Amino acid sequence: MTTTSIPPTTSPYAGTDSVRGAWRVVAEREITTRVREKTYRYSLLAMVVGIVATVVLSSLLGGKPTDHTVGVVDERGAGIVTAASAEVDRADDGSSAEPRELASAEAAEQAVRDGDIDAALVPTDDGYEVIGDKEIDGTLSAALTSAASGQVLESNAEEQGVDLGELTAGSAVSERLLDADAEDAGSRQVAAFVFVLLFYVTAVTFGMTIAQSVVQEKESRVVEILAAAVPIRALLWGKIAGNTVLALGQIVVLVVTGVAALAATGENGLLSSIGPAMAWYVVFFVLGFVALAGLWAVAGSLASRQEDLGSTTMPGQIILFAPYILAVAAGEGVKTVVSLVPVLSAMIMPARMAEGGVPAWQIAVALGGNVIGAFLLVRFAARLYERTLMRTERKIGFGEALKLSD
Amino acid sequence: METMLDISSLSRSYDDVMVVDDVSFTVVPGRVTGFVGANGAGKTTTMRMILGVLAPTSGEVLWDGRPITTAQRRRFGYMPEERGLYPRMKVREQLVFLARLHGITREEAARRATELLEHFDLGDRADDVLDTLSLGNQQRVQIAASLIHRPDALVLDEPFSGLDPVAVDAMAALLAKEAGDKPLLFSSHQLELVERLCDDLVILSHGKVVAAGPVEELRGRGPDRYRVSLDGGDIAWIRDLRGIDVRDVDGATAVVDLCGVSASELLSAVVARGPVREFTPVRQSLSAIFREATR
């Protein structure tokens, strides 16, 4: 019988172009193994619940409309409170002020003290007095003051036969914001912080997954069989691809949850202002994660046992922790600079974008830097990975790995 | 022409220490080649270089007379000395994964995994996690892993270690069937086993090949040795004969090496002195060859 070294391509065992497809098989195993883990599903669920809770809570605490009840003792006072209600609504979305007729100034004072009403508006010799218990809501107080002076002015003008319209002509003052983004500044800062936090948590989680998956293969010695079956690089690509898909999936789920929660709580203004930043966030996350994925794999291949991961994953942890701390603690200037440094910028730039006012060129620089950074870092990591993966006998240091020959 | 696996002048050094030194031999298809040597002789290192898991310092591996390609290496079946599979993965799933790495479709891989597991009577454990199996059964799964992609050649490092005699027979039968007309190289410490299973032998000592060739030829090597027994009486007089080297005399029996006379000349000389009960050539045992070669 004659055999040749080239198997017939029609056989299921031919495997002609399978060298190229091997990374996909590796990626698929990474994904299915992880998705089946209970810890993975529970932690994702916990994060989804966390985001919904954050959005709902901040919506309740921040924008909750208040209905102020103001005690009055005369008809004029009731009119002032009714007029003030419109002002309160304008200043504090959905809030209102309602008059409650009371017998006397003393009764009104007592009602305030008892907490039955939020404030009382009682006439004095030279006008009105707003009475509160320990404090008076600023918006309410301002609205009452302006409504009172408006009403009194109107009636005085009427008494004296003066045309109030003529008298106040040219005094109208309106507002125009140059930095319209500054609206919702507080909410946007919260969003930026949540961006950074979730970036950090997700990147570290799946980075550690890569490192653990590599060291598990070394510990169980299956790596020897894998290396005989496929090129070592295919193993690396598969791990990077599989875990990037998982991490991206998680980020997308979280972003969609955030969007849905914002929409459901009626925060449409905030949504439309940070929406683009959310989209960029996903793009930057992928670039930032891929850039470091290779290093996480190297952290696994330097280790010989799970216990070694603590030290070998240190560089990855630091590279992620540094921008996290900067994003939380650093000033505007530092953040601007770091948001242009490749890899670190992946975390900082979307956060700055959520806060608003980032020039387009800076976004372009950060983006370009990350693409190049990811490319170079993965190549560098692939070399280290190939050199160290098969050395199962002991832990190898980063410095030592750099000196190793192939 | 059948496809040969040639190992050509492979060397590997670690920190200037030669672990494998200019090793050359051929694994002939359709014949079982045994790879023996003391611990640390360099068998595992050589096998890892054949599989491309370890890069040689110099030398090459030839397939069909040409330097082997990565694609061809992927069509080899390999069982490493340090066993390894995913401990927390299900048996069948694991085999299918490995088969797919070798480029086989999922459906075919599943069929093949079932076939191999049934051969080992592990069909009912297919969906169990590997580390719930006994060590012997894990070893069987390991063998299945090396056969899952119907390899073009088999390189097995100590495939029989840790198996009971019945399991050894079952595995030997399977290997014979699977290897068929393909090159099969396996290493072992168990010389009786090697003697029973191998057609060819490569003996490694301190990183060098000290003997290689068909087992019959290796055993026939060395002096022409005969055992002569008389039908009673003392054979001590045989020491006076010329052209032989007497190795041992014990009563009526002697063991002699021929050096100058032919076997028939010796036989005539002995028959002339009285009735002969036995006159047989003595073949060296494998352990004798091994001891001699690695001395």
Side-chain angles (χ1 to χ4, degrees):
Chain A
M1 203 193 100
T2 309
T3 44
T4 63
S5 63
I6 302 161
T9 47
T10 46
S11 153
Y13 295 94
T16 42
D17 62 348
S18 49
V19 178
R20 267 168 282 152
W23 68 269
R24 266 185 240 136
V25 180
V26 175
E28 197 184 302
R29 201 196 81 87
E30 290 291 315
I31 294 170
T32 50
T33 309
R34 187 81 172 129
V35 169
R36 280 187 210 155
E37 278 172 20
K38 278 204 187 89
T39 48
Y40 166 77
R41 282 183 274 176
Y42 287 143
S43 76
L44 182 57
L45 184 67
M47 280 193 246
V48 166
V49 170
I51 288 188
V52 172
T54 307
V55 171
V56 170
L57 271 180
S58 68
S59 151
L60 287 180
L61 294 176
K64 189 182 165 192
T66 324
D67 294 320
H68 304 279
T69 310
V70 181
V72 291
V73 292
D74 55 359
E75 210 170 299
R76 204 185 210 182
I80 291 170
V81 172
T82 308
S85 185
E87 183 66 29
V88 168
D89 182 29
R90 192 162 43 244
D92 206 351
D93 224 11
S95 300
S96 64
E98 203 183 323
R100 183 184 296 174
E101 298 269 356
L102 293 163
S104 63
E106 289 74 31
E109 209 166 296
Q110 189 56 45
V112 170
R113 199 170 281 129
D114 294 346
D116 292 341
I117 53 178
D118 297 305
L121 185 69
V122 294
T124 56
D125 297 339
D126 57 350
Y128 278 95
E129 183 183 38
V130 183
I131 302 169
D133 186 19
K134 290 194 177 65
E135 59 173 356
I136 302 166
D137 184 272
T139 310
L140 178 66
S141 165
L144 287 174
T145 309
S146 107
S149 66
Q151 286 234 339
V152 174
L153 196 63
E154 205 171 322
S155 65
N156 288 353
E158 213 169 303
E159 268 171 33
Q160 314 231 342
V162 176
D163 185 343
L164 194 60
E166 254 173 47
L167 200 65
T168 58
S171 72
V173 177
S174 65
E175 280 182 355
R176 183 165 66 92
L177 293 177
L178 289 175
D179 185 1
D181 287 345
E183 204 185 350
D184 291 328
S187 306
R188 297 181 68 149
Q189 264 168 12
V190 171
F193 173 72
V194 171
F195 273 14
V196 169
L197 181 67
L198 291 180
F199 191 117
Y200 175 73
V201 170
T202 307
V204 168
T205 304
F206 288 97
M208 284 305 281
T209 303
I210 294 180
Q212 273 162 359
S213 151
V214 173
V215 80
Q216 270 162 15
E217 286 171 359
K218 288 186 81 172
E219 261 186 327
S220 70
R221 306 292 193 230
V222 73
V223 68
E224 179 111 1
I225 290 183
L226 300 178
V230 295
I232 289 177
R233 265 168 202 252
L235 292 176
L236 180 66
W237 300 150
K239 287 198 188 297
I240 292 180
N243 284 286
T244 303
V245 167
L246 283 169
L248 172 64
Q250 174 156 322
I251 284 291
V252 167
V253 165
L254 297 180
V255 164
V256 167
T257 305
V259 169
L262 286 176
T265 50
E267 298 280 0
N268 293 320
L270 180 60
L271 189 56
S272 67
S273 62
I274 66 166
M278 279 178 151
W280 280 113
Y281 176 59
V282 174
V283 173
F284 274 107
F285 178 83
V286 169
L287 289 173
F289 187 80
V290 169
L292 293 182
L295 288 186
W296 288 107
V298 170
S301 76
L302 292 177
S304 74
R305 296 165 305 145
Q306 293 280 346
E307 296 81 61
D308 299 332
L309 286 180
S311 58
T312 61
T313 57
M314 200 51 85
Q317 309 244 29
I318 291 171
I319 293 176
L320 285 171
F321 195 62
Y324 172 69
I325 284 295
L326 286 173
V328 175
E332 207 54 45
V334 176
K335 272 201 245 183
T336 304
V337 172
V338 177
S339 74
L340 299 176
V341 177
V343 184
L344 302 187
S345 61
M347 199 189 288
I348 306 273
M349 183 52 89
R352 277 188 64 210
M353 289 170 75
E355 284 171 1
V358 182
W361 71 265
Q362 289 187 0
I363 299 172
V365 166
L367 204 58
N370 270 296
V371 171
I372 296 167
F375 178 74
L376 293 178
L377 267 178
V378 167
R379 277 187 50 151
F380 169 71
R383 283 207 352 246
L384 285 188
Y385 187 73
E386 283 183 315
R387 287 179 196 172
T388 54
L389 185 65
M390 301 309 294
R391 300 183 180 236
T392 49
E393 61 280 359
R394 64 184 176 85
K395 194 192 104 181
I396 305 165
F398 264 99
E400 192 185 346
L402 289 171
K403 286 185 218 127
L404 283 174
S405 58
D406 290 319
Chain B
M1 194 196 83
E2 285 168 319
T3 316
M4 303 255 199
L5 176 63
D6 284 300
I7 284 62
S8 171
S9 301
L10 277 188
S11 295
R12 171 77 204 195
S13 58
Y14 287 109
D15 304 326
D16 297 331
V17 178
M18 281 295 226
V19 179
V20 172
D21 190 359
D22 197 25
V23 164
S24 298
F25 60 89
T26 299
V27 186
V28 181
R31 291 174 69 84
V32 177
T33 303
F35 198 30
V36 296
N39 289 330
K43 302 186 298 287
T44 295
T45 307
T46 305
M47 288 179 141
R48 295 182 78 199
M49 287 192 284
I50 295 173
L51 263 298
V53 171
L54 184 70
T57 310
S58 65
E60 57 185 350
V61 178
L62 305 175
W63 178 254
D64 205 12
R66 287 188 291 271
I68 193 165
T69 61
T70 308
Q72 186 53 55
R73 272 195 170 114
R74 294 185 69 216
R75 312 251 327 110
F76 282 13
Y78 177 42
M79 181 163 170
E81 183 198 27
E82 290 191 274
R83 312 290 187 237
L85 290 170
Y86 292 101
R88 302 295 308 151
M89 205 170 167
K90 288 176 186 167
V91 172
R92 192 207 316 268
E93 203 173 25
Q94 178 139 230
L95 291 174
V96 169
F97 168 68
L98 292 172
R100 291 181 67 210
L101 282 187
H102 284 284
I104 293 164
T105 63
R106 192 195 299 269
E107 297 71 31
E108 183 56 32
R111 252 199 306 280
R112 177 76 171 144
T114 305
E115 175 190 323
L116 286 169
L117 289 174
E118 272 166 13
H119 179 94
F120 286 122
D121 287 330
L122 288 173
D124 56 333
R125 306 298 301 272
D127 291 319
D128 289 354
V129 172
L130 183 80
D131 67 3
T132 62
L133 269 60
S134 69
L135 287 179
N137 281 340
Q138 290 189 28
Q139 173 101 332
R140 290 180 171 91
V141 176
Q142 192 87 44
I143 283 280
S146 71
L147 295 170
I148 189 77
H149 55 298
R150 295 191 198 278
D152 287 348
L154 281 169
V155 178
L156 312 172
D157 203 349
E158 296 280 354
F160 301 104
S161 75
L163 291 182
D164 62 58
V166 177
V168 167
D169 288 345
M171 191 172 297
L174 177 69
L175 287 180
K177 181 180 139 218
E178 292 288 337
D181 55 358
K182 295 161 192 161
L184 165 57
L185 175 71
F186 81 87
S187 67
S188 181
H189 282 101
Q190 295 152 277
L191 290 172
E192 328 77 71
L193 201 63
V194 173
E195 187 155 23
R196 189 150 61 86
L197 298 175
C198 292
D199 304 306
D200 295 324
L201 197 62
V202 177
I203 302 176
L204 209 59
S205 178
H206 300 293
K208 292 183 190 220
V209 174
V210 287
V215 175
E216 287 306 306
E217 197 184 300
L218 287 178
R219 290 165 112 193
R221 213 180 266 184
D224 256 346
R225 184 166 294 173
Y226 285 85
R227 187 198 320 276
V228 186
S229 285
L230 298 180
D231 203 2
D234 192 344
I235 201 172
W237 52 263
I238 203 166
R239 293 187 193 278
D240 303 331
L241 290 180
R242 294 203 175 161
I244 59 168
D245 182 6
V246 180
R247 308 289 301 180
D248 186 40
V249 174
D250 181 17
T253 303
V255 176
V256 301
D257 291 346
L258 305 186
C259 47
V261 299
S262 69
S264 54
E265 281 167 348
L266 173 63
L267 181 58
S268 319
V270 178
V271 168
R273 301 288 293 255
V276 174
R277 198 175 60 195
E278 184 191 359
F279 186 85
T280 39
V282 179
R283 322 228 63 177
Q284 288 197 83
S285 75
L286 214 49
S287 38
I289 298 172
F290 179 75
R291 268 197 298 277
E292 198 149 308
T294 57
R295 194 164 47 199

